[in-house]
Amino acid sequence: RSSDLNWSNFFYDPEKHKISLLDFGASRGYGKEFTDHYIEVVKAAADGDRGKVLQKSQDLKFLTGYETKMLEEVHVDAVMILGEAFAASEPFDFGQQNTARRIHNLVPVMLKHRLRPPPEESYSLHRKMAGAFLICARLKGVISCREMFEEQYRKYWEDRKS
């Protein structure tokens, strides 16, 4: 399965003004326990709740709970940076962001002080998300991500209850 960003995997429908991913090899399912915790990490970042980001990252097994304060801070900083698109009350301008550079600057600390590898599921999910983020940046997209996330968050938990 390949979730590498490949421009030939994207299709633009000019009538609907929509972009679709056509790479069936990039599809993969995720367990409910993983997605339950993961969506809460994203929600915490969108809400600016650093304490909840830390707790849900431990629940998700990104962190053990025994990390140094420095690693905890850097991990939460990285999540908060990635969550900026979902936190913005105004449409997020992907063409003007510097997310990749800011995350890149945090990676050495994470690599040096991490006590466990991230959950296996996160590798493919993060590659998919990075691909979506990169295409939005390449197209200089300005998108109301918070609004879309809030709707999907609500639907996720409604579906989980039924």
Side-chain angles (χ1 to χ4, degrees):
R1 79 196 123 123
S2 171
S3 55
D4 288 330
L5 183 62
N6 180 340
W7 301 114
S8 66
N9 290 343
F10 291 92
F11 173 74
Y12 178 67
D13 182 341
E15 290 178 19
K16 295 181 182 177
H17 299 288
K18 285 191 152 190
I19 296 173
S20 301
L21 175 63
L22 300 175
D23 184 5
F24 295 109
S27 63
R28 175 207 161 130
Y30 299 96
K32 291 297 181 192
E33 182 178 1
F34 176 80
T35 56
D36 286 355
H37 291 306
Y38 198 94
I39 200 166
E40 290 300 329
V41 170
V42 176
K43 176 77 166 127
D47 292 343
D49 188 339
R50 294 178 65 87
K52 189 169 181 185
V53 166
L54 180 60
Q55 180 58 56
K56 295 312 289 182
S57 294
Q58 291 170 350
D59 294 346
L60 194 53
K61 302 198 178 3
F62 267 97
L63 303 172
T64 66
Y66 297 103
E67 284 79 11
T68 64
K69 201 67 160 157
M70 180 191 332
L71 180 64
E72 287 180 352
E73 288 294 318
V74 167
H75 173 83
V76 173
D77 287 348
V79 173
M80 299 303 285
I81 290 167
L82 293 169
E84 287 173 350
F86 304 112
S89 57
E90 298 295 317
F92 188 77
D93 188 343
F94 283 90
Q96 295 299 313
Q97 52 72 34
N98 60 359
T99 303
R101 181 182 51 77
R102 291 163 57 212
I103 294 294
H104 179 77
N105 291 338
L106 300 176
V107 169
V109 174
M110 290 190 275
L111 291 175
K112 182 176 181 180
H113 296 281
R114 182 169 293 286
L115 297 179
R116 71 159 32 132
E120 186 271 326
E121 300 96 331
S122 69
Y123 293 105
S124 63
L125 179 58
H126 288 171
R127 287 172 56 128
K128 290 177 193 184
M129 290 171 61
F133 200 94
L134 288 171
I135 195 164
C136 289
R138 173 113 178 188
L139 296 173
K140 297 183 181 3
V142 179
I143 302 168
S144 299
C145 298
R146 181 168 183 90
E147 188 178 302
M148 289 188 333
F149 173 73
E150 291 292 340
E151 180 181 340
Q152 292 308 309
Y153 179 83
R154 182 185 50 75
K155 284 181 181 177
Y156 178 83
W157 287 112
E158 284 176 3
D159 290 348
R160 287 288 279 133
K161 290 177 184 173
S162 55

